[in-house]
Amino acid sequence: IAAIESAIAQAVASPTDATEATVQGVLQDFVKALETAPTADAAPSTRAVLRVLQADDITGPRLGETLERTIFLQGGIAARSVSAIQAIRARVKSLRVRVTSLIAFADDLGIATPSERHRPELGVMFPLSLVPEDLGAFHREMKQLNHHVGLLIELLEGTSQAVRLVGLDSDSWDVFIEVGAATAAGLAIAIERIVALYKSSFEIRLLKLQIEEKGLGPQAQQAADDRLREIVREEIESLKQILLDRSRIEDVGRRNELANGVQPALEYLADRLDRGVDFEVQMPLPSPEAGGTDAAPPHADTDRRALARQGAAVSQLVRHDKPVLSLPQSPSQPEGLTFTGTPSTQPS
């Protein structure tokens, strides 16, 4: 950041194409370095801590985005960019001091601090507007989450494991669950496809509204409804097969038993996303050069791309205040989570 600050000061003092190119070059090098920083694939629970520290915009790749916005405030390098960069540098220094103090405090108390990169995590973010006042209903919701995620963990990891909670966040009802690498990859693929399903379903609903406005009759409207149900059914079936193909269960009988629960689990994820719940998967993947038992598996590149796409897909998803997906009625439907009070983020 000091190098960027120095380059900007030079560009302000002597504004030429060469000095501006120097700023761009130093910034691009730094942004590239941030992409491989440990916070680049920080777990959802870690980012929740960074939000508490008001530091989520000055760590990992987001620091690069913050710097780029700050430097080019007016579409070019401005004199006030220097003071803005100095302010960011001061925040980073302050964060370093605070984190160092927290680690020293933990050491004094004998609390172990993580020495390795985080395990894969699934973050499930319930907006406060969706959380019922009746905690009994939310307890039942957590039991369903535990059941469906537990089933997918067993299917994809090959062994039955307890669903391990690794964190909670109080800004919204955010639940962070530790999962294995195989589960993280499978969930990333499912979430990305469900988001795409949500978008395509909404487009069909818009078409149905146009049909109604033009008065084309009930047959055309019914055709749109039928198509909605068909694409949801086909996509859930396709996703089910993808997850079954990734199963590590060797016992055929147990695999068949779990197969019966895959569709309800996928419908649960789709239904909750439809109601405004966010899902996020993070998984640190070792580089292919690592070698040994920690080397990236053959499908690591595919999984890495799926992880990147699902994160971007959820963050860019425009939510609507009414149901979009045509899901079948099932016991997975919540007793307490409704659409009441859910704000629409549809741009005006």
Side-chain angles (χ1 to χ4, degrees), residues 206-254:
L206 287 179
L207 176 62
K208 184 185 175 185
L209 285 175
Q210 294 170 2
I211 291 173
E212 292 174 355
E213 290 171 357
K214 293 179 180 179
L216 296 181
Q219 288 185 339
Q221 295 177 32
Q222 184 62 47
D225 286 336
D226 292 343
R227 180 56 185 155
L228 272 171
R229 284 189 287 270
E230 182 182 0
I231 64 170
V232 170
R233 180 183 59 77
E234 290 176 350
E235 186 64 9
I236 295 294
E237 283 290 338
S238 174
L239 269 174
K240 175 182 176 181
Q241 191 56 51
I242 288 172
L243 296 186
L244 288 175
D245 289 343
R246 284 174 164 255
S247 173
R248 294 184 176 181
I249 295 290
E250 296 181 359
D251 184 290
V252 176
R254 182 56 182 159

Side-chain angles (χ1 to χ4, degrees), residues 35-55:
E35 291 174 355
T36 57
T39 45
D41 59 358
S45 57
T46 301
R47 278 202 298 279
V49 174
L50 291 172
R51 286 197 298 272
V52 172
L53 294 173
Q54 297 182 335

Side-chain angles (χ1 to χ4, degrees), residues 279-340:
F279 295 93
E280 181 182 9
V281 182
Q282 276 293 350
M283 173 174 63
L285 287 172
S287 65
E289 293 81 13
T293 57
D294 293 332
H299 54 270
D301 288 341
T302 301
D303 292 346
R304 186 179 285 107
R305 288 193 293 269
L307 284 160
R309 288 195 301 264
Q310 63 87 25
V314 174
S315 65
Q316 296 169 10
L317 180 62
V318 176
R319 292 296 177 79
H320 306 279
D321 54 4
K322 292 183 179 179
V324 170
L325 299 175
S326 292
L327 291 161
Q329 298 291 325
S330 73
S332 292
Q333 292 202 337
E335 299 177 35
L337 303 187
T338 66
F339 278 95
T340 53

Side-chain angles (χ1 to χ4, degrees), residues 124 126 141-150 175 177 268:
V124 186
F126 294 86
E141 178 67 20
M142 291 300 96
K143 287 183 69 175
Q144 288 196 59
L145 178 65
N146 179 76
H147 170 73
H148 293 303
V149 172
V175 180
I177 300 169
Y268 170 85

Side-chain angles (χ1 to χ4, degrees), residues 3-25:
I4 294 171
E5 181 184 327
S6 176
I8 292 172
Q10 181 65 30
V12 171
S14 177
T16 66
D17 290 345
T19 55
E20 183 166 341
T22 299
V23 173
Q24 291 278 14

Side-chain angles (χ1 to χ4, degrees), residues 154-155 249-260:
E154 181 177 357
L155 178 77
I249 295 290
E250 296 181 359
D251 184 290
V252 176
R254 182 56 182 159
R255 184 179 183 276
N256 291 336
E257 290 175 1
L258 292 173
N260 294 329

